[in-house]
Coordinates of all heavy atoms in Angstrom, one line a residue:
I1 N -6.6 12.4 -10.7 CA -5.3 11.9 -11.0 C -5.3 10.4 -10.7 O -6.2 9.8 -10.0 CB -4.2 12.5 -10.1 CG1 -4.5 12.4 -8.6 CG2 -4.1 14.0 -10.4 CD1 -3.4 12.8 -7.7
D2 N -4.3 9.7 -11.4 CA -4.3 8.2 -11.2 C -3.3 7.9 -10.0 O -2.6 8.8 -9.5 CB -3.9 7.5 -12.5 CG -2.5 7.8 -13.0 OD1 -1.6 8.2 -12.2 OD2 -2.4 7.7 -14.2
G3 N -3.1 6.6 -9.7 CA -2.3 6.2 -8.6 C -0.8 6.6 -8.8 O -0.1 7.0 -7.9
E4 N -0.3 6.5 -10.0 CA 1.1 6.9 -10.3 C 1.3 8.4 -10.1 O 2.3 8.8 -9.5 CB 1.5 6.5 -11.7 CG 1.6 5.0 -12.0 CD 2.7 4.4 -11.1 OE1 3.8 5.0 -10.8 OE2 2.6 3.2 -10.8
Q5 N 0.4 9.2 -10.6 CA 0.5 10.6 -10.3 C 0.4 10.9 -8.8 O 1.2 11.8 -8.3 CB -0.6 11.4 -11.1 CG -0.5 11.3 -12.6 CD -1.7 11.8 -13.3 OE1 -2.8 11.3 -13.0 NE2 -1.5 12.8 -14.2
A6 N -0.5 10.3 -8.2 CA -0.6 10.5 -6.7 C 0.7 10.1 -6.0 O 1.1 10.8 -5.0 CB -1.8 9.7 -6.2
F7 N 1.3 9.0 -6.4 CA 2.6 8.6 -5.8 C 3.6 9.7 -6.0 O 4.4 10.1 -5.1 CB 3.0 7.3 -6.3 CG 4.3 6.8 -5.8 CD1 4.5 6.4 -4.5 CD2 5.5 6.9 -6.6 CE1 5.7 6.0 -4.0 CE2 6.7 6.5 -6.1 CZ 6.8 6.1 -4.8
S8 N 3.7 10.2 -7.3 CA 4.8 11.1 -7.6 C 4.7 12.4 -6.8 O 5.6 13.1 -6.6 CB 4.8 11.4 -9.1 OG 3.7 12.2 -9.5
M9 N 3.4 12.8 -6.4 CA 3.3 14.0 -5.7 C 3.2 13.8 -4.1 O 3.0 14.7 -3.4 CB 2.0 14.8 -6.1 CG 0.7 14.1 -6.0 SD -0.7 15.1 -6.6 CE -0.3 15.2 -8.3
G10 N 3.3 12.5 -3.7 CA 3.3 12.2 -2.3 C 2.0 12.1 -1.7 O 1.8 12.0 -0.5
L11 N 0.9 12.0 -2.5 CA -0.4 11.8 -2.0 C -0.6 10.3 -1.5 O -1.3 10.1 -0.5 CB -1.4 12.1 -3.1 CG -2.9 11.9 -2.7 CD1 -3.3 12.6 -1.5 CD2 -3.8 12.3 -3.9
V12 N 0.0 9.4 -2.1 CA 0.0 8.0 -1.6 C 1.4 7.5 -1.4 O 2.4 8.0 -2.0 CB -0.7 7.0 -2.6 CG1 -2.2 7.5 -2.9 CG2 0.0 6.9 -4.0
N13 N 1.5 6.6 -0.4 CA 2.8 6.0 -0.1 C 3.3 5.0 -1.1 O 4.5 4.9 -1.3 CB 2.7 5.3 1.3 CG 2.3 6.2 2.4 OD1 1.2 6.6 2.5 ND2 3.3 6.7 3.2
H14 N 2.4 4.3 -1.7 CA 2.8 3.3 -2.7 C 1.7 3.3 -3.8 O 0.5 3.4 -3.6 CB 2.8 1.9 -2.1 CG 3.7 1.8 -0.9 ND1 5.1 1.5 -1.1 CD2 3.5 1.9 0.4 CE1 5.6 1.5 0.1 NE2 4.7 1.7 1.0
A15 N 2.2 3.1 -5.1 CA 1.3 2.8 -6.2 C 1.7 1.5 -6.8 O 2.9 1.3 -7.0 CB 1.4 3.9 -7.2
V16 N 0.8 0.6 -7.0 CA 1.1 -0.7 -7.5 C 0.2 -1.1 -8.7 O -0.9 -0.6 -8.8 CB 0.8 -1.8 -6.3 CG1 1.8 -1.6 -5.2 CG2 -0.6 -1.7 -5.8
P17 N 0.8 -1.8 -9.6 CA 0.0 -2.2 -10.8 C -1.3 -3.1 -10.3 O -1.1 -3.9 -9.4 CB 0.9 -3.1 -11.6 CG 2.3 -2.8 -11.1 CD 2.1 -2.4 -9.7
Q18 N -2.4 -2.8 -10.9 CA -3.6 -3.5 -10.5 C -3.5 -5.0 -11.0 O -2.9 -5.3 -12.0 CB -4.8 -2.9 -11.2 CG -6.2 -3.4 -10.7 CD -6.4 -3.4 -9.2 OE1 -5.8 -4.2 -8.5 NE2 -7.0 -2.4 -8.7
N19 N -4.0 -5.9 -10.2 CA -4.0 -7.3 -10.5 C -5.4 -7.7 -11.1 O -6.3 -6.9 -11.1 CB -3.6 -8.2 -9.3 CG -4.6 -8.0 -8.1 OD1 -5.8 -7.6 -8.3 ND2 -4.1 -8.2 -6.9
S20 N -5.5 -9.0 -11.5 CA -6.7 -9.5 -12.1 C -7.9 -9.5 -11.1 O -9.0 -9.5 -11.5 CB -6.5 -10.8 -12.8 OG -6.1 -11.8 -11.8
Q21 N -7.6 -9.6 -9.8 CA -8.6 -9.7 -8.8 C -9.1 -8.3 -8.5 O -10.2 -8.1 -7.8 CB -8.2 -10.4 -7.5 CG -7.9 -11.8 -7.7 CD -6.5 -12.1 -8.3 OE1 -5.6 -11.3 -8.2 NE2 -6.4 -13.2 -9.1
G22 N -8.4 -7.2 -8.9 CA -8.8 -5.9 -8.6 C -8.5 -5.4 -7.2 O -9.1 -4.5 -6.7
D23 N -7.6 -6.1 -6.5 CA -7.3 -5.8 -5.1 C -5.8 -5.6 -4.8 O -5.3 -5.9 -3.7 CB -7.9 -6.9 -4.2 CG -7.2 -8.2 -4.2 OD1 -6.4 -8.4 -5.2 OD2 -7.4 -9.0 -3.4
A24 N -5.1 -5.1 -5.8 CA -3.6 -5.0 -5.6 C -3.3 -4.0 -4.5 O -2.3 -4.3 -3.7 CB -3.0 -4.5 -7.0
A25 N -4.0 -2.9 -4.4 CA -3.7 -2.0 -3.3 C -4.0 -2.6 -2.0 O -3.2 -2.4 -1.0 CB -4.5 -0.7 -3.5
Y26 N -5.1 -3.3 -1.9 CA -5.4 -4.0 -0.6 C -4.3 -5.0 -0.3 O -3.9 -5.0 0.9 CB -6.7 -4.7 -0.8 CG -7.1 -5.5 0.4 CD1 -7.3 -4.9 1.7 CD2 -7.3 -6.9 0.4 CE1 -7.6 -5.7 2.8 CE2 -7.6 -7.6 1.5 CZ -7.8 -7.0 2.7 OH -8.1 -7.8 3.8
Q27 N -3.8 -5.8 -1.2 CA -2.8 -6.7 -0.9 C -1.5 -6.0 -0.5 O -0.8 -6.5 0.5 CB -2.5 -7.6 -2.2 CG -3.6 -8.5 -2.6 CD -4.1 -9.4 -1.4 OE1 -3.2 -10.0 -0.7 NE2 -5.4 -9.6 -1.3
R28 N -1.1 -4.9 -1.1 CA 0.0 -4.1 -0.7 C -0.2 -3.5 0.7 O 0.7 -3.5 1.5 CB 0.4 -3.1 -1.7 CG 1.6 -2.3 -1.3 CD 2.9 -3.1 -1.3 NE 4.1 -2.4 -0.9 CZ 4.6 -2.3 0.3 NH1 4.0 -2.9 1.3 NH2 5.7 -1.6 0.5
A29 N -1.4 -3.1 1.0 CA -1.8 -2.5 2.3 C -1.6 -3.6 3.4 O -1.1 -3.3 4.5 CB -3.2 -2.0 2.3
L30 N -2.0 -4.8 3.1 CA -1.9 -5.9 4.0 C -0.4 -6.2 4.3 O 0.0 -6.4 5.5 CB -2.5 -7.2 3.5 CG -4.0 -7.2 3.5 CD1 -4.6 -8.6 3.0 CD2 -4.6 -7.0 4.9
T31 N 0.4 -6.1 3.3 CA 1.9 -6.3 3.5 C 2.4 -5.2 4.4 O 3.2 -5.5 5.3 CB 2.6 -6.3 2.1 OG1 2.1 -7.4 1.3 CG2 4.1 -6.5 2.2
L32 N 2.0 -4.0 4.1 CA 2.4 -2.9 4.9 C 2.0 -3.1 6.4 O 2.8 -2.8 7.3 CB 1.9 -1.6 4.4 CG 2.4 -0.3 4.9 CD1 3.9 -0.2 4.9 CD2 1.8 0.9 4.1
A33 N 0.7 -3.5 6.6 CA 0.2 -3.7 7.9 C 1.0 -4.8 8.6 O 1.3 -4.7 9.8 CB -1.3 -4.1 7.9
K34 N 1.4 -5.8 7.9 CA 2.2 -6.9 8.5 C 3.6 -6.4 8.9 O 4.3 -7.0 9.7 CB 2.3 -8.1 7.5 CG 1.0 -8.8 7.4 CD 1.1 -9.9 6.3 CE -0.3 -10.6 6.1 NZ -0.3 -11.5 5.0
E35 N 4.1 -5.4 8.2 CA 5.4 -4.8 8.6 C 5.3 -4.0 9.9 O 6.2 -3.9 10.7 CB 5.9 -3.8 7.5 CG 6.4 -4.5 6.3 CD 7.0 -3.5 5.3 OE1 7.9 -2.7 5.7 OE2 6.4 -3.4 4.2
I36 N 4.1 -3.5 10.2 CA 3.8 -2.7 11.4 C 3.5 -3.6 12.6 O 4.0 -3.3 13.7 CB 2.6 -1.7 11.1 CG1 3.0 -0.7 10.1 CG2 2.2 -1.0 12.4 CD1 1.8 0.1 9.5
L37 N 2.8 -4.7 12.4 CA 2.4 -5.6 13.5 C 3.5 -6.0 14.4 O 3.3 -6.0 15.6 CB 1.7 -6.8 12.9 CG 0.3 -6.5 12.4 CD1 -0.3 -7.8 11.8 CD2 -0.6 -6.0 13.5
P38 N 4.7 -6.4 14.0 CA 5.7 -6.8 14.9 C 6.3 -5.7 15.8 O 7.0 -6.0 16.8 CB 6.8 -7.5 14.1 CG 6.4 -7.3 12.7 CD 5.1 -6.5 12.6
Q39 N 6.0 -4.5 15.5 CA 6.6 -3.3 16.2 C 5.9 -3.2 17.6 O 4.7 -3.6 17.7 CB 6.5 -2.1 15.4 CG 7.1 -2.2 14.0 CD 8.4 -3.0 13.9 OE1 9.3 -2.8 14.6 NE2 8.5 -3.8 12.9
A40 N 6.5 -2.6 18.5 CA 6.0 -2.4 19.8 C 4.7 -1.6 19.7 O 4.8 -0.4 19.3 CB 7.0 -1.8 20.8
P41 N 3.5 -2.1 20.2 CA 2.3 -1.4 20.0 C 2.3 0.0 20.7 O 1.8 1.0 20.1 CB 1.2 -2.3 20.7 CG 1.9 -3.6 20.8 CD 3.4 -3.4 20.8
F42 N 2.8 0.1 21.8 CA 2.8 1.4 22.5 C 3.7 2.4 21.8 O 3.3 3.6 21.6 CB 3.3 1.2 24.0 CG 3.3 2.5 24.8 CD1 2.0 3.0 25.2 CD2 4.4 3.2 25.1 CE1 2.0 4.2 25.9 CE2 4.4 4.4 25.8 CZ 3.2 4.9 26.2

């Protein structure tokens, strides 16, 4: 299955259009990580 199908069935949290560098998922994953970082680690 592709990323869109995976998203529609809940296999992935986010599906993003691929960029010219081929790292769109990585860039979105970094954004997600940055949302987690300010939260209390414990």
Side-chain angles (χ1 to χ4, degrees):
I1 58 172
D2 65 27
E4 289 296 330
Q5 292 168 307
F7 176 73
S8 72
M9 62 181 64
L11 177 56
V12 300
N13 300 76
H14 303 275
V16 295
Q18 189 55 280
N19 60 26
S20 60
Q21 293 80 29
D23 70 349
Y26 175 62
Q27 294 303 321
R28 181 64 180 97
L30 288 180
T31 300
L32 190 53
K34 288 174 186 172
E35 288 182 60
I36 296 168
L37 285 177
Q39 310 316 316
F42 183 74

